Amino acid sequence: MTITRALLAPLGAVLLLHCSGSSSSSGPASSSEPPVDSGDSSSPPPTAAAPSFRREPIDYPSSNVTLLGWLPRDEISGESFLISDNVGYVSPSGDEYALVTHSAGITFVRVSDPQRPTPVAEFSGPESLLRDVKTFGNYAYEANSLGGGGIRVFDLREIDQGKIAHVTTITDPPEVDKVQNLVVNESRALLYCAGGGHPSRQGLTIFDLSNPAEPRFLANWHDRYTPDVFLVNYTEGPYAGREIAFLYTRESSAIGDQPGFEILDVTDKNDIRTVLIADPLASIIENPPYYAYPDAQVPHQGWPSADLRYFYLNDEFDERVGDWPATVTRVFDITDLSRPQQVSEFSSGRQSSDHNLYVRDGWIYEANYRSGLRVFETSNPLLPREIAHFDTYPNDDGFSLNGLFNAWPFLPSRVILGSDLQRGLFLWWVGEPALSFEAPSEVSPIDPEGQEVTIRIAERDSGSLVPSSVEFLLNVGQGFTPYPATKRGDQYVATLPPVPCGQQAEFFWSAQSEDGLTWTHPEGAPRFIHRGHVGDPEVVLWQDSMETDRGWVVSGDARAGAWTRSTPAGSDAAPRADRTETGTQCWLTGVDQPGGFPMGQDLDGGSTILTSPPLDLSSASDPHLRYWRWFYNHGDLRLGEETFVVEVSETGGRDWIVVELVGPGTTESLGSWMQQRFRLRDFVELTDDVRVRFVASDLDSDSLVEAALDEFAVIEAGCR
């Protein structure tokens, strides 16, 4: 029996990687074909901004998952569109890539160094949130289900040189104008198109990929609607030699329209037929050609166990019906394809919808929207047990179609690619990391006269660490400078030279493991970093935890949702708690009903302004402004166009200078508490009437806006 994907190694079959939202298989591809002579017709990728003092890590709840890297949404596409799917690809040289789809098109990202994911090219397309991409050999196929335009074919043979050619677009037959998902059967060189908008019963459209640059139409199957398909080439047992398709069907694309789990024999493209055995004496209503499992609503996507005994299926909307206190993933027994049966279900214990899932080496990787990545081990295949998670939407775990869309686990490096609709591309390691860090000494404040900094590094396996790779990286305004560390006892020690006093500082540790991956402390550096300052220990000059009235003034022309000091009630857009450990109150806009539906209670119809009381800084030496702020702005298929502005005045409010602009359409407009810090001397003179104001606006009636402020302080960060 031939196994086309060694990482799956099924018994009795060859599994074809696919995915609803992201799938396809792309292992290391050979490149015997001649180079393309068509040049790069793509747009240049968005300019990636270096991490700045103003980027603060969000607190992502996680367990047994290491964040290796992150590419924010606004650096994947320069527009304020949303991210959807992703799939991995390995170039002829062995470099790894993430192909990331979004509302505006598709972006190709090099991820061979997960610490620094780098966009290579972006191709724009008709606006559509639901967009999919798959690969076959050194070609990629991309389509969407809302904007239309057919299936675009890309040649990736020169991707390492930054050249990606759009070679053709498939528009015939008309069913492929809008496609929800693409799936490739690699061993048979077939492309399957599933779902979309034409006709309403959009089922499957199949192409021959013998010439991957010019797919040839073979057949249609439109008996029922399916948003996706999983393909298996059986090599043993009663289905040996057959190509079997597992579908998630409905009578139409409407929610709850006779949904079920359907199995087809697609070996003969001229005679596609159901495998389910029906009672010939029963009517089609009593005995439909699909398995109608309990409380079915929107069967969406799934993946079988390696031995093909069980099939794990997610239903995108079953959380809203029946007696389900939390989302469940269904487990079907498929040992007899003619009579599949649901035999159990399992859950993360959260209400957020289960979306795309994949199985690799006995672990199930699920993208569960608002509760992020959930990983389950299947030693008991009927009751998978959660062993890891990383929540990309820390505000709540409620039922809503935003957050993590897809988590693709099949790169040879075992780096997981996670695409979050609002926050962008995450790169993770699941399980015990090769290297872990313990920093035994405080680094900040940094001594301007120089100092030693130390770290302990634990190895998962003896010899995992490359000793010469250990570095401490410091940025005091001119970019990160690496300082090599040497072994001293059970620690690594780096020596810092004198640095200018009074500067803000960013820093992190970095080391490589023998497998070539880079590990950092904190995780995700240089996107997520430690922050501090160069100089003496800090002294608080003025602070407000917002628990009492300290003289703040509210003004502005907003029709509704003006600033108010209160205890957060929480919603999809507003904070559910303040930032003060011992308090409960903060300044916030809009929502005042616990769990309330945010639209209609948020900030509307103008701007609301919150101004601090006068701050006498005339005798201060080097004061810094520090605060925690929250800003949420979201539109329809894209992030909103509103802004949150922080300004400072040295003239008691007569003149204002902007110190921070949040938005429009950035990942910092997604409703998380974020701490910010600024050196006031960089903006104003230190007078006896310095004031700070926070301006939240909603000038677009179709967008949702919420803001909050807490833990405001002015800190002296002087030098001896």
Side-chain angles (χ1 to χ4, degrees):
M1 177 174 59
T2 302
I3 306 297
T4 60
R5 289 296 298 249
L7 58 86
L8 291 177
L11 301 176
V14 178
L15 301 192
L16 280 300
L17 290 188
H18 101 291
C19 159
S20 146
S22 104
S23 104
S24 154
S25 59
S26 52
S30 61
S31 181
S32 58
E33 300 145 289
V36 178
D37 188 27
S38 56
D40 184 0
S41 60
S42 68
S43 303
T47 301
S52 70
F53 294 131
R54 304 183 185 185
R55 188 180 298 283
E56 181 75 12
I58 301 170
D59 182 16
Y60 293 112
S62 66
S63 174
N64 207 24
V65 178
T66 301
L67 177 64
L68 299 176
W70 174 53
L71 187 64
R73 182 213 52 75
D74 47 302
E75 294 180 22
I76 295 173
S77 174
E79 302 292 337
S80 58
F81 291 102
L82 301 180
I83 306 301
S84 51
D85 221 336
N86 71 70
V87 67
Y89 168 72
V90 181
S91 73
S93 71
D95 276 355
E96 294 184 342
Y97 292 84
L99 281 53
V100 183
T101 64
H102 45 81
S103 302
I106 182 171
T107 300
F108 298 81
V109 182
R110 182 178 287 112
V111 296
S112 290
D113 179 1
Q115 189 183 18
R116 294 177 174 83
T118 305
V120 173
E122 178 183 4
F123 289 81
S124 61
E127 184 171 348
S128 174
L129 175 59
L130 297 178
R131 189 183 303 272
D132 193 29
V133 59
K134 296 298 183 296
T135 64
F136 177 65
N138 294 313
Y139 288 83
Y141 307 89
E142 174 256 347
N144 73 86
S145 65
L146 298 177
I151 303 169
R152 296 193 290 182
V153 182
F154 298 96
D155 188 328
L156 307 181
R157 287 176 293 181
E158 294 188 281
I159 191 172
D160 290 342
Q161 291 75 48
K163 294 182 179 181
I164 300 170
H166 172 203
V167 294
T168 191
T169 298
I170 306 167
T171 58
D172 187 48
E175 288 89 340
V176 300
D177 177 58
K178 296 178 180 179
V179 174
Q180 183 164 344
N181 279 291
L182 300 165
V183 180
V184 173
N185 184 332
E186 288 192 337
S187 63
R188 295 180 182 242
L190 297 171
L191 174 67
Y192 285 74
C193 309
H198 176 81
S200 61
R201 283 188 178 183
Q202 181 82 320
L204 299 175
T205 302
I206 308 169
F207 290 87
D208 176 12
L209 295 181
S210 298
N211 180 352
E214 297 181 6
R216 180 175 62 86
F217 171 71
L218 290 179
N220 278 327
W221 177 87
H222 293 315
D223 289 6
R224 280 167 57 80
Y225 176 88
T226 184
D228 209 340
V229 58
F230 190 93
L231 301 165
V232 177
N233 297 324
Y234 277 82
T235 59
E236 295 178 0
Y239 304 102
R242 313 303 294 175
E243 182 185 13
I244 303 298
F246 296 85
L247 284 72
Y248 327 96
T249 61
R250 286 168 276 162
E251 192 63 19
S252 71
S253 59
I255 295 173
D257 188 1
Q258 302 180 46
F261 179 51
E262 193 158 353
I263 303 174
L264 301 180
D265 185 336
V266 295
T267 310
D268 183 348
K269 303 302 179 286
N270 295 316
D271 186 22
I272 296 174
R273 59 179 61 191
T274 182
V275 178
L276 193 72
I277 294 178
D279 182 351
L281 301 179
S283 70
I284 190 67
I285 296 176
E286 296 171 335
N287 209 154
Y290 58 89
Y291 174 53
Y293 58 89
D295 290 326
Q297 286 293 295
V298 180
H300 177 252
Q301 184 261 358
W303 209 271
S305 59
D307 60 8
L308 291 179
R309 291 189 61 190
Y310 302 104
F311 198 94
Y312 302 106
L313 179 142
N314 53 62
D315 187 310
E316 208 167 0
F317 277 78
D318 60 0
E319 297 81 5
R320 312 304 277 177
V321 300
D323 186 23
W324 303 111
T327 189
V328 294
T329 301
R330 317 301 182 103
V331 184
F332 296 145
D333 185 331
I334 56 169
T335 51
D336 181 353
L337 294 183
S338 66
R339 293 182 175 88
Q341 293 293 321
Q342 180 175 332
V343 290
S344 67
E345 70 263 340
F346 62 94
S347 175
S348 67
R350 289 156 179 82
Q351 193 183 21
S352 57
S353 177
D354 49 341
H355 197 223
N356 296 327
L357 69 87
Y358 309 93
V359 181
R360 178 176 184 176
D361 297 339
W363 287 6
I364 297 173
Y365 298 81
E366 282 193 1
N368 279 13
Y369 282 121
R370 285 197 172 194
S371 62
L373 172 68
R374 300 283 155 173
V375 184
F376 303 83
E377 64 87 18
T378 61
S379 57
N380 181 346
L382 297 180
L383 294 173
R385 177 177 60 91
E386 184 175 315
I387 57 170
H389 71 267
F390 189 102
D391 190 351
T392 63
Y393 196 94
N395 193 26
D396 66 63
D397 295 325
F399 176 84
S400 187
L401 304 185
N402 52 10
L404 191 67
F405 191 92
N406 195 65
W408 203 81
F410 296 115
L411 283 174
S413 66
R414 304 191 72 89
V415 171
I416 312 300
L417 304 176
S419 52
D420 183 280
L421 280 91
Q422 291 85 9
R423 289 194 164 92
L425 178 67
F426 291 86
L427 296 98
W428 296 302
W429 179 269
V430 176
E432 185 180 357
L435 306 176
S436 55
F437 299 81
E438 178 189 351
S441 63
E442 283 291 332
V443 176
S444 182
I446 293 173
D447 190 336
E449 297 179 2
Q451 70 184 92
E452 289 187 342
V453 291
T454 60
I455 193 81
R456 289 189 179 95
I457 303 177
E459 300 174 279
R460 181 186 61 210
D461 303 308
S462 178
S464 294
L465 173 65
V466 179
S468 61
S469 68
V470 182
E471 294 178 327
F472 180 84
L473 294 98
L474 175 66
N475 176 14
V476 290
Q478 302 299 318
F480 283 103
T481 300
Y483 296 96
T486 57
K487 188 77 176 291
R488 186 185 299 172
D490 65 345
Q491 303 181 47
Y492 282 83
V493 182
T495 302
L496 306 183
V499 290
C501 189
Q503 297 294 315
Q504 296 184 65
E506 300 177 328
F507 50 91
F508 66 95
W509 286 92
S510 175
Q512 282 190 351
S513 51
E514 287 288 350
D515 58 8
L517 290 179
T518 298
W519 307 83
T520 64
H521 178 71
E523 296 177 12
R527 289 291 182 180
F528 301 102
I529 40 80
H530 294 302
R531 296 173 53 171
H533 71 283
V534 181
D536 298 333
E538 297 174 335
V539 176
V540 177
L541 300 179
W542 194 90
Q543 65 180 346
D544 189 355
S545 63
M546 312 306 185
E547 297 302 313
T548 60
D549 185 359
R550 297 292 303 275
W552 292 79
V553 177
V554 177
S555 59
D557 60 358
R559 181 177 67 252
W563 285 107
T564 184
R565 189 173 59 84
S566 181
T567 299
S571 74
D572 288 352
R576 299 179 183 275
D578 73 338
R579 279 297 311 186
T580 310
E581 292 184 4
T582 58
T584 61
Q585 299 203 7
C586 63
W587 284 95
L588 68 162
T589 64
V591 174
D592 58 4
Q593 299 178 19
F597 184 69
M599 190 65 80
Q601 302 181 63
D602 66 318
L603 173 64
D604 278 313
S607 300
T608 182
I609 304 169
L610 179 65
T611 305
S612 73
L615 304 172
D616 184 354
L617 303 180
S618 58
S619 60
S621 173
D622 190 15
H624 290 211
L625 176 64
R626 187 179 67 195
Y627 54 88
W628 285 85
R629 52 104 170 132
W630 174 292
F631 183 59
Y632 183 96
N633 179 216
H634 203 286
D636 194 4
L637 290 181
R638 64 183 72 191
L639 298 179
E641 300 298 325
E642 306 295 354
T643 59
F644 181 79
V645 183
V646 183
E647 299 173 310
V648 63
S649 172
E650 64 188 34
T651 60
R654 293 191 300 275
D655 305 290
W656 294 95
I657 296 174
V658 175
V659 297
E660 184 186 20
L661 174 66
V662 184
T666 68
T667 53
E668 295 192 1
S669 305
L670 296 176
S672 293
W673 281 112
M674 303 187 74
Q675 189 186 60
Q676 302 301 315
R677 176 173 174 150
F678 302 98
R679 188 186 189 202
L680 285 168
R681 280 192 180 277
D682 291 341
F683 299 95
V684 294
E685 296 294 327
L686 303 180
T687 68
D688 61 358
D689 194 2
V690 174
R691 304 192 189 202
V692 183
R693 71 179 185 182
F694 299 83
V695 184
S697 301
D698 185 3
L699 307 179
D700 179 358
S701 60
D702 292 329
S703 70
L704 179 60
V705 178
E706 294 286 11
L709 175 70
D710 204 2
E711 291 282 319
F712 178 94
V714 178
I715 300 163
E716 181 71 86
C719 298
R720 292 187 292 272

